[in-house]
Amino acid sequence: MAFQPSKALRLGAVAGLALVMTGCVSLGVDAPESLLTLSSQNVAPVGANTQNEDQAAENAIAVLPPETPAKLDVLRVPDNVSETEIAYLPDAFWIEKPARLFRRVLGENLRAKGGENGPIVLDSDVTPLRASTLLRGTLSELSYDAQTGEVVVRYDAIRSDTQGRTATRRFEARESGVSADAASVGPALNEAVNAVAVEVADWM
């Protein structure tokens, strides 16, 4: 029987694919049953802001994504095991990077604080105008603390405007008595984030 190279190549490719798929199944990680997110407990009223373009630019606030340490630049919830050791809570996964979720909660609280005729708040990467006030900063904690059974949210805010004025302030909120599981930590972090966002909105 004559050797058929094309048939041999096809058989080799099928065998190789089977090995790859077997490796994926054995090494893969099961998808989590649910994902964590953050949502604002204060919601702006329905209705359009009717300021003209000049007024909008003068009163607009741009909320920039906060800087984060490496432990928060992931889709996991840090567990501060000790002062020198960090783990991640099992089965606790964010739907997207926590810095972006935190940014949107800040933006929505600023809108709610301003009301229907308040300043325009820009909290997305696509902005129709250049804001006169910037809110930026560092989100250093959005974590669970195994030593105390608390969740901790810490945000160092920087407010600046086109007049060259700058102010800084540290905000922190904690929720205690939290079990080390996703079902308990998720809601507790949402409470703490909203507490910080309310304080930031009052400060702005």
Short mmCIF file of all heavy atoms in Angstrom, two decimals, residues 51-110:
data_model
loop_
_atom_site.label_atom_id
_atom_site.label_comp_id
_atom_site.label_asym_id
_atom_site.label_seq_id
_atom_site.Cartn_x
_atom_site.Cartn_y
_atom_site.Cartn_z
N GLN A 51 -27.58 72.68 31.00
CA GLN A 51 -26.59 73.75 30.94
C GLN A 51 -26.06 73.88 29.51
O GLN A 51 -25.96 72.89 28.77
CB GLN A 51 -25.43 73.45 31.87
CG GLN A 51 -25.82 73.33 33.34
CD GLN A 51 -24.63 72.97 34.20
OE1 GLN A 51 -23.70 73.75 34.32
NE2 GLN A 51 -24.66 71.80 34.80
N ASN A 52 -25.71 75.11 29.11
CA ASN A 52 -25.08 75.27 27.80
C ASN A 52 -23.64 74.80 27.87
O ASN A 52 -23.12 74.48 28.94
CB ASN A 52 -25.18 76.72 27.31
CG ASN A 52 -24.44 77.70 28.22
OD1 ASN A 52 -23.34 77.43 28.66
ND2 ASN A 52 -25.06 78.85 28.48
N GLU A 53 -22.96 74.79 26.73
CA GLU A 53 -21.63 74.19 26.67
C GLU A 53 -20.64 74.90 27.58
O GLU A 53 -19.83 74.27 28.25
CB GLU A 53 -21.13 74.19 25.23
CG GLU A 53 -19.81 73.45 25.05
CD GLU A 53 -19.41 73.32 23.59
OE1 GLU A 53 -20.26 73.57 22.71
OE2 GLU A 53 -18.25 72.98 23.34
N ASP A 54 -20.67 76.24 27.61
CA ASP A 54 -19.74 76.99 28.45
C ASP A 54 -19.99 76.71 29.93
O ASP A 54 -19.05 76.52 30.71
CB ASP A 54 -19.86 78.49 28.18
CG ASP A 54 -19.33 78.87 26.80
OD1 ASP A 54 -18.52 78.09 26.25
OD2 ASP A 54 -19.75 79.92 26.27
N GLN A 55 -21.27 76.70 30.33
CA GLN A 55 -21.60 76.40 31.72
C GLN A 55 -21.20 74.98 32.09
O GLN A 55 -20.68 74.72 33.18
CB GLN A 55 -23.10 76.59 31.96
CG GLN A 55 -23.58 78.02 31.92
CD GLN A 55 -25.09 78.10 32.04
OE1 GLN A 55 -25.82 77.28 31.47
NE2 GLN A 55 -25.57 79.08 32.77
N ALA A 56 -21.43 74.05 31.16
CA ALA A 56 -21.11 72.65 31.41
C ALA A 56 -19.63 72.47 31.65
O ALA A 56 -19.20 71.77 32.59
CB ALA A 56 -21.58 71.78 30.24
N ALA A 57 -18.80 73.08 30.81
CA ALA A 57 -17.36 72.95 30.97
C ALA A 57 -16.89 73.58 32.27
O ALA A 57 -16.00 73.05 32.95
CB ALA A 57 -16.65 73.60 29.78
N GLU A 58 -17.50 74.71 32.63
CA GLU A 58 -17.10 75.41 33.85
C GLU A 58 -17.43 74.61 35.09
O GLU A 58 -16.70 74.64 36.09
CB GLU A 58 -17.79 76.77 33.91
CG GLU A 58 -17.40 77.61 35.12
CD GLU A 58 -18.09 78.96 35.12
OE1 GLU A 58 -18.73 79.30 34.11
OE2 GLU A 58 -17.99 79.64 36.16
N ASN A 59 -18.55 73.86 35.05
CA ASN A 59 -19.01 73.13 36.23
C ASN A 59 -18.71 71.64 36.20
O ASN A 59 -19.01 70.93 37.16
CB ASN A 59 -20.53 73.31 36.40
CG ASN A 59 -20.92 74.76 36.63
OD1 ASN A 59 -20.18 75.49 37.28
ND2 ASN A 59 -22.05 75.18 36.10
N ALA A 60 -18.16 71.14 35.12
CA ALA A 60 -17.98 69.70 34.96
C ALA A 60 -16.88 69.16 35.89
O ALA A 60 -15.87 69.81 36.13
CB ALA A 60 -17.65 69.36 33.52
N ILE A 61 -17.11 67.95 36.36
CA ILE A 61 -16.14 67.23 37.18
C ILE A 61 -15.76 65.96 36.44
O ILE A 61 -16.63 65.16 36.08
CB ILE A 61 -16.72 66.88 38.56
CG1 ILE A 61 -17.13 68.14 39.33
CG2 ILE A 61 -15.72 66.05 39.37
CD1 ILE A 61 -17.87 67.85 40.62
N ALA A 62 -14.49 65.76 36.24
CA ALA A 62 -14.00 64.52 35.61
C ALA A 62 -13.45 63.61 36.70
O ALA A 62 -12.56 64.01 37.47
CB ALA A 62 -12.93 64.83 34.58
N VAL A 63 -13.99 62.41 36.77
CA VAL A 63 -13.51 61.41 37.73
C VAL A 63 -12.56 60.48 36.98
O VAL A 63 -12.97 59.74 36.09
CB VAL A 63 -14.68 60.61 38.33
CG1 VAL A 63 -14.16 59.62 39.37
CG2 VAL A 63 -15.71 61.55 38.95
N LEU A 64 -11.30 60.51 37.33
CA LEU A 64 -10.29 59.69 36.67
C LEU A 64 -10.16 58.33 37.36
O LEU A 64 -10.42 58.22 38.57
CB LEU A 64 -8.94 60.40 36.66
CG LEU A 64 -8.91 61.81 36.04
CD1 LEU A 64 -7.49 62.33 36.02
CD2 LEU A 64 -9.51 61.81 34.64
N PRO A 65 -9.77 57.30 36.63
CA PRO A 65 -9.57 55.99 37.27
C PRO A 65 -8.49 56.10 38.34
O PRO A 65 -7.43 56.69 38.09
CB PRO A 65 -9.11 55.09 36.12
CG PRO A 65 -9.54 55.79 34.87
CD PRO A 65 -9.49 57.25 35.18
N PRO A 66 -8.73 55.58 39.53
CA PRO A 66 -7.71 55.67 40.57
C PRO A 66 -6.51 54.78 40.29
O PRO A 66 -6.64 53.73 39.65
CB PRO A 66 -8.45 55.21 41.83
CG PRO A 66 -9.52 54.30 41.32
CD PRO A 66 -9.94 54.88 40.00
N GLU A 67 -5.35 55.21 40.74
CA GLU A 67 -4.19 54.34 40.74
C GLU A 67 -4.40 53.24 41.77
O GLU A 67 -5.08 53.45 42.79
CB GLU A 67 -2.93 55.13 41.09
CG GLU A 67 -2.60 56.25 40.11
CD GLU A 67 -2.12 55.70 38.77
OE1 GLU A 67 -1.54 54.60 38.76
OE2 GLU A 67 -2.33 56.38 37.76
N THR A 68 -3.82 52.07 41.53
CA THR A 68 -3.95 50.96 42.47
C THR A 68 -2.62 50.23 42.61
O THR A 68 -1.83 50.19 41.66
CB THR A 68 -5.01 49.94 42.01
OG1 THR A 68 -4.65 49.42 40.73
CG2 THR A 68 -6.40 50.55 41.96
N PRO A 69 -2.36 49.64 43.77
CA PRO A 69 -1.19 48.76 43.89
C PRO A 69 -1.45 47.47 43.10
O PRO A 69 -2.58 47.18 42.70
CB PRO A 69 -1.11 48.49 45.39
CG PRO A 69 -2.51 48.67 45.89
CD PRO A 69 -3.11 49.74 45.03
N ALA A 70 -0.41 46.69 42.92
CA ALA A 70 -0.51 45.47 42.11
C ALA A 70 -1.56 44.51 42.64
O ALA A 70 -2.23 43.82 41.88
CB ALA A 70 0.86 44.79 42.04
N LYS A 71 -1.75 44.47 43.96
CA LYS A 71 -2.68 43.49 44.52
C LYS A 71 -4.13 43.77 44.13
O LYS A 71 -4.98 42.88 44.18
CB LYS A 71 -2.55 43.45 46.05
CG LYS A 71 -3.07 44.68 46.78
CD LYS A 71 -2.99 44.49 48.29
CE LYS A 71 -3.59 45.67 49.05
NZ LYS A 71 -3.54 45.46 50.51
N LEU A 72 -4.43 45.03 43.75
CA LEU A 72 -5.78 45.38 43.32
C LEU A 72 -5.93 45.45 41.81
O LEU A 72 -7.05 45.63 41.32
CB LEU A 72 -6.19 46.73 43.93
CG LEU A 72 -6.39 46.79 45.43
CD1 LEU A 72 -6.77 48.20 45.87
CD2 LEU A 72 -7.45 45.80 45.89
N ASP A 73 -4.85 45.29 41.09
CA ASP A 73 -4.90 45.37 39.64
C ASP A 73 -5.20 43.99 39.04
O ASP A 73 -4.61 43.58 38.04
CB ASP A 73 -3.58 45.91 39.09
CG ASP A 73 -3.68 46.31 37.62
OD1 ASP A 73 -4.79 46.67 37.18
OD2 ASP A 73 -2.65 46.26 36.92
N VAL A 74 -6.12 43.28 39.67
CA VAL A 74 -6.52 41.94 39.26
C VAL A 74 -8.02 41.79 39.49
O VAL A 74 -8.66 42.66 40.08
CB VAL A 74 -5.75 40.85 40.07
CG1 VAL A 74 -4.28 40.86 39.73
CG2 VAL A 74 -5.97 41.04 41.56
N LEU A 75 -8.57 40.66 39.06
CA LEU A 75 -10.00 40.39 39.25
C LEU A 75 -10.26 39.57 40.50
O LEU A 75 -11.24 38.82 40.57
CB LEU A 75 -10.57 39.68 38.02
CG LEU A 75 -10.50 40.45 36.71
CD1 LEU A 75 -11.01 39.61 35.56
CD2 LEU A 75 -11.30 41.75 36.80
N ARG A 76 -9.40 39.69 41.50
CA ARG A 76 -9.51 38.93 42.75
C ARG A 76 -9.62 39.89 43.92
O ARG A 76 -9.28 41.06 43.83
CB ARG A 76 -8.27 38.04 42.94
CG ARG A 76 -7.98 37.07 41.81
CD ARG A 76 -9.02 35.98 41.68
NE ARG A 76 -9.15 35.21 42.92
CZ ARG A 76 -8.37 34.17 43.25
NH1 ARG A 76 -7.39 33.82 42.43
NH2 ARG A 76 -8.57 33.51 44.38
N VAL A 77 -10.11 39.37 45.06
CA VAL A 77 -10.25 40.15 46.28
C VAL A 77 -9.09 39.82 47.20
O VAL A 77 -8.96 38.67 47.65
CB VAL A 77 -11.58 39.87 46.98
CG1 VAL A 77 -11.66 40.65 48.30
CG2 VAL A 77 -12.76 40.22 46.09
N PRO A 78 -8.20 40.77 47.50
CA PRO A 78 -7.06 40.49 48.38
C PRO A 78 -7.51 40.16 49.80
O PRO A 78 -8.48 40.72 50.32
CB PRO A 78 -6.26 41.80 48.35
CG PRO A 78 -6.74 42.53 47.15
CD PRO A 78 -8.17 42.15 46.99
N ASP A 79 -6.80 39.25 50.40
CA ASP A 79 -6.99 38.88 51.81
C ASP A 79 -5.67 39.21 52.52
O ASP A 79 -4.66 38.53 52.30
CB ASP A 79 -7.32 37.40 51.91
CG ASP A 79 -7.56 36.95 53.36
OD1 ASP A 79 -7.42 37.79 54.27
OD2 ASP A 79 -7.90 35.77 53.57
N ASN A 80 -5.70 40.27 53.33
CA ASN A 80 -4.49 40.68 54.04
C ASN A 80 -4.27 39.74 55.23
O ASN A 80 -4.76 39.98 56.33
CB ASN A 80 -4.61 42.13 54.51
CG ASN A 80 -4.75 43.09 53.33
OD1 ASN A 80 -4.17 42.86 52.27
ND2 ASN A 80 -5.51 44.14 53.52
N VAL A 81 -3.53 38.67 55.00
CA VAL A 81 -3.32 37.64 56.01
C VAL A 81 -2.49 38.17 57.17
O VAL A 81 -2.75 37.89 58.34
CB VAL A 81 -2.66 36.40 55.38
CG1 VAL A 81 -2.39 35.33 56.44
CG2 VAL A 81 -3.53 35.83 54.26
N SER A 82 -1.47 38.95 56.85
CA SER A 82 -0.64 39.58 57.88
C SER A 82 -0.07 40.86 57.29
O SER A 82 -0.38 41.23 56.15
CB SER A 82 0.48 38.63 58.32
OG SER A 82 1.44 38.48 57.29
N GLU A 83 0.79 41.53 58.05
CA GLU A 83 1.39 42.77 57.57
C GLU A 83 2.34 42.53 56.40
O GLU A 83 2.66 43.45 55.65
CB GLU A 83 2.12 43.47 58.70
CG GLU A 83 1.19 44.00 59.80
CD GLU A 83 1.94 44.74 60.88
OE1 GLU A 83 3.18 44.83 60.76
OE2 GLU A 83 1.30 45.23 61.82
N THR A 84 2.78 41.29 56.23
CA THR A 84 3.76 40.99 55.18
C THR A 84 3.29 39.90 54.22
O THR A 84 4.06 39.46 53.38
CB THR A 84 5.10 40.55 55.81
OG1 THR A 84 4.87 39.40 56.64
CG2 THR A 84 5.70 41.68 56.63
N GLU A 85 2.03 39.49 54.32
CA GLU A 85 1.55 38.40 53.47
C GLU A 85 0.14 38.69 52.96
O GLU A 85 -0.73 39.10 53.73
CB GLU A 85 1.54 37.09 54.26
CG GLU A 85 1.16 35.87 53.42
CD GLU A 85 1.17 34.59 54.24
OE1 GLU A 85 1.45 34.65 55.45
OE2 GLU A 85 0.86 33.53 53.65
N ILE A 86 -0.05 38.48 51.67
CA ILE A 86 -1.34 38.69 51.03
C ILE A 86 -1.74 37.41 50.30
O ILE A 86 -0.94 36.82 49.58
CB ILE A 86 -1.29 39.86 50.03
CG1 ILE A 86 -0.99 41.18 50.77
CG2 ILE A 86 -2.60 39.98 49.26
CD1 ILE A 86 -0.72 42.33 49.84
N ALA A 87 -2.98 37.00 50.49
CA ALA A 87 -3.56 35.90 49.73
C ALA A 87 -4.77 36.44 48.98
O ALA A 87 -5.03 37.65 48.99
CB ALA A 87 -3.96 34.76 50.67
N TYR A 88 -5.50 35.57 48.31
CA TYR A 88 -6.73 35.98 47.64
C TYR A 88 -7.87 35.07 48.08
O TYR A 88 -7.69 33.86 48.23
CB TYR A 88 -6.57 35.93 46.12
CG TYR A 88 -5.72 37.06 45.58
CD1 TYR A 88 -4.37 36.87 45.29
CD2 TYR A 88 -6.25 38.33 45.38
CE1 TYR A 88 -3.58 37.91 44.82
CE2 TYR A 88 -5.47 39.37 44.92
CZ TYR A 88 -4.14 39.16 44.63
OH TYR A 88 -3.36 40.20 44.18
N LEU A 89 -9.03 35.68 48.31
CA LEU A 89 -10.18 34.89 48.77
C LEU A 89 -10.62 33.91 47.68
O LEU A 89 -10.77 34.30 46.52
CB LEU A 89 -11.35 35.82 49.11
CG LEU A 89 -11.24 36.63 50.40
CD1 LEU A 89 -12.46 37.53 50.53
CD2 LEU A 89 -11.13 35.72 51.61
N PRO A 90 -10.85 32.67 48.03
CA PRO A 90 -11.33 31.72 47.03
C PRO A 90 -12.75 32.06 46.59
O PRO A 90 -13.56 32.54 47.39
CB PRO A 90 -11.28 30.38 47.78
CG PRO A 90 -11.32 30.73 49.23
CD PRO A 90 -10.64 32.06 49.35
N ASP A 91 -13.04 31.84 45.32
CA ASP A 91 -14.38 32.03 44.74
C ASP A 91 -14.85 33.49 44.77
O ASP A 91 -16.05 33.75 44.58
CB ASP A 91 -15.42 31.15 45.46
CG ASP A 91 -15.07 29.68 45.38
OD1 ASP A 91 -14.57 29.25 44.32
OD2 ASP A 91 -15.28 28.96 46.38
N ALA A 92 -13.96 34.44 45.00
CA ALA A 92 -14.33 35.86 44.99
C ALA A 92 -13.66 36.52 43.80
O ALA A 92 -12.46 36.82 43.83
CB ALA A 92 -13.92 36.54 46.29
N PHE A 93 -14.43 36.76 42.74
CA PHE A 93 -13.91 37.32 41.50
C PHE A 93 -14.74 38.54 41.09
O PHE A 93 -15.98 38.48 41.10
CB PHE A 93 -13.97 36.28 40.36
CG PHE A 93 -13.10 35.09 40.57
CD1 PHE A 93 -13.57 33.99 41.29
CD2 PHE A 93 -11.80 35.04 40.07
CE1 PHE A 93 -12.77 32.88 41.50
CE2 PHE A 93 -10.99 33.93 40.27
CZ PHE A 93 -11.49 32.85 40.99
N TRP A 94 -14.07 39.64 40.74
CA TRP A 94 -14.76 40.83 40.24
C TRP A 94 -15.15 40.63 38.78
O TRP A 94 -14.47 39.94 38.03
CB TRP A 94 -13.86 42.06 40.34
CG TRP A 94 -13.52 42.48 41.73
CD1 TRP A 94 -12.30 42.41 42.33
CD2 TRP A 94 -14.40 43.05 42.70
NE1 TRP A 94 -12.36 42.89 43.61
CE2 TRP A 94 -13.65 43.30 43.87
CE3 TRP A 94 -15.76 43.36 42.70
CZ2 TRP A 94 -14.21 43.85 45.02
CZ3 TRP A 94 -16.32 43.92 43.85
CH2 TRP A 94 -15.54 44.16 44.98
N ILE A 95 -16.22 41.30 38.37
CA ILE A 95 -16.64 41.24 36.98
C ILE A 95 -15.70 42.05 36.09
O ILE A 95 -15.56 41.79 34.90
CB ILE A 95 -18.10 41.72 36.83
CG1 ILE A 95 -18.64 41.35 35.46
CG2 ILE A 95 -18.22 43.21 37.12
CD1 ILE A 95 -20.14 41.53 35.33
N GLU A 96 -15.04 43.08 36.66
CA GLU A 96 -13.98 43.83 35.99
C GLU A 96 -13.08 44.43 37.04
O GLU A 96 -13.35 44.31 38.24
CB GLU A 96 -14.55 44.90 35.05
CG GLU A 96 -15.38 45.98 35.72
CD GLU A 96 -15.89 47.02 34.73
OE1 GLU A 96 -15.10 47.48 33.91
OE2 GLU A 96 -17.09 47.34 34.80
N LYS A 97 -12.00 45.07 36.63
CA LYS A 97 -11.02 45.59 37.59
C LYS A 97 -11.73 46.50 38.61
O LYS A 97 -12.53 47.37 38.24
CB LYS A 97 -9.93 46.38 36.86
CG LYS A 97 -9.06 45.54 35.93
CD LYS A 97 -8.07 44.71 36.70
CE LYS A 97 -7.12 43.96 35.75
NZ LYS A 97 -6.16 44.83 35.05
N PRO A 98 -11.42 46.33 39.89
CA PRO A 98 -12.11 47.11 40.92
C PRO A 98 -11.93 48.62 40.81
O PRO A 98 -12.79 49.37 41.24
CB PRO A 98 -11.52 46.56 42.23
CG PRO A 98 -10.28 45.84 41.85
CD PRO A 98 -10.50 45.34 40.46
N ALA A 99 -10.83 49.08 40.23
CA ALA A 99 -10.63 50.53 40.09
C ALA A 99 -11.72 51.14 39.22
O ALA A 99 -12.21 52.24 39.49
CB ALA A 99 -9.25 50.80 39.49
N ARG A 100 -12.12 50.46 38.15
CA ARG A 100 -13.15 50.98 37.27
C ARG A 100 -14.53 50.93 37.95
O ARG A 100 -15.35 51.85 37.79
CB ARG A 100 -13.17 50.20 35.96
CG ARG A 100 -11.87 50.31 35.17
CD ARG A 100 -11.96 49.63 33.83
NE ARG A 100 -12.86 50.33 32.92
CZ ARG A 100 -12.51 51.38 32.19
NH1 ARG A 100 -11.28 51.87 32.25
NH2 ARG A 100 -13.38 51.96 31.39
N LEU A 101 -14.79 49.87 38.70
CA LEU A 101 -16.04 49.79 39.44
C LEU A 101 -16.13 50.91 40.48
O LEU A 101 -17.18 51.57 40.63
CB LEU A 101 -16.14 48.43 40.13
CG LEU A 101 -16.22 47.20 39.22
CD1 LEU A 101 -16.09 45.92 40.05
CD2 LEU A 101 -17.51 47.19 38.42
N PHE A 102 -15.03 51.15 41.18
CA PHE A 102 -14.98 52.20 42.20
C PHE A 102 -15.20 53.57 41.56
O PHE A 102 -15.93 54.41 42.11
CB PHE A 102 -13.62 52.14 42.90
CG PHE A 102 -13.43 53.15 43.99
CD1 PHE A 102 -14.01 52.98 45.23
CD2 PHE A 102 -12.66 54.29 43.77
CE1 PHE A 102 -13.82 53.92 46.24
CE2 PHE A 102 -12.48 55.24 44.77
CZ PHE A 102 -13.06 55.05 46.01
N ARG A 103 -14.60 53.79 40.41
CA ARG A 103 -14.74 55.07 39.71
C ARG A 103 -16.21 55.36 39.40
O ARG A 103 -16.68 56.48 39.58
CB ARG A 103 -13.93 55.01 38.42
CG ARG A 103 -14.05 56.23 37.52
CD ARG A 103 -13.48 55.91 36.15
NE ARG A 103 -13.29 57.07 35.31
CZ ARG A 103 -12.88 57.02 34.05
NH1 ARG A 103 -12.61 55.84 33.49
NH2 ARG A 103 -12.73 58.12 33.33
N ARG A 104 -16.95 54.36 38.95
CA ARG A 104 -18.35 54.58 38.59
C ARG A 104 -19.22 54.87 39.81
O ARG A 104 -20.16 55.66 39.74
CB ARG A 104 -18.88 53.39 37.79
CG ARG A 104 -18.42 53.41 36.34
CD ARG A 104 -19.26 52.49 35.48
NE ARG A 104 -18.97 51.09 35.74
CZ ARG A 104 -18.01 50.40 35.12
NH1 ARG A 104 -17.24 51.00 34.23
NH2 ARG A 104 -17.81 49.13 35.40
N VAL A 105 -18.90 54.22 40.93
CA VAL A 105 -19.65 54.51 42.16
C VAL A 105 -19.39 55.95 42.60
O VAL A 105 -20.31 56.67 43.02
CB VAL A 105 -19.30 53.51 43.28
CG1 VAL A 105 -19.97 53.91 44.59
CG2 VAL A 105 -19.74 52.10 42.88
N LEU A 106 -18.14 56.40 42.51
CA LEU A 106 -17.82 57.79 42.82
C LEU A 106 -18.62 58.74 41.92
O LEU A 106 -19.23 59.71 42.40
CB LEU A 106 -16.33 58.06 42.61
CG LEU A 106 -15.34 57.60 43.67
CD1 LEU A 106 -13.93 57.98 43.25
CD2 LEU A 106 -15.66 58.19 45.03
N GLY A 107 -18.63 58.46 40.62
CA GLY A 107 -19.33 59.32 39.68
C GLY A 107 -20.82 59.41 39.96
O GLY A 107 -21.40 60.50 39.95
N GLU A 108 -21.43 58.26 40.24
CA GLU A 108 -22.88 58.27 40.49
C GLU A 108 -23.23 59.00 41.78
O GLU A 108 -24.24 59.70 41.86
CB GLU A 108 -23.41 56.83 40.53
CG GLU A 108 -24.92 56.72 40.53
CD GLU A 108 -25.57 57.31 39.29
OE1 GLU A 108 -24.90 57.40 38.23
OE2 GLU A 108 -26.76 57.71 39.37
N ASN A 109 -22.38 58.89 42.80
CA ASN A 109 -22.62 59.63 44.04
C ASN A 109 -22.46 61.12 43.83
O ASN A 109 -23.21 61.91 44.43
CB ASN A 109 -21.68 59.13 45.13
CG ASN A 109 -22.25 57.96 45.90
OD1 ASN A 109 -22.96 58.14 46.88
ND2 ASN A 109 -21.96 56.75 45.44
N LEU A 110 -21.52 61.53 42.99
CA LEU A 110 -21.37 62.95 42.69
C LEU A 110 -22.59 63.48 41.95
O LEU A 110 -23.07 64.60 42.21
CB LEU A 110 -20.11 63.19 41.86
CG LEU A 110 -18.79 63.10 42.63
CD1 LEU A 110 -17.61 63.00 41.68
CD2 LEU A 110 -18.63 64.31 43.55
#
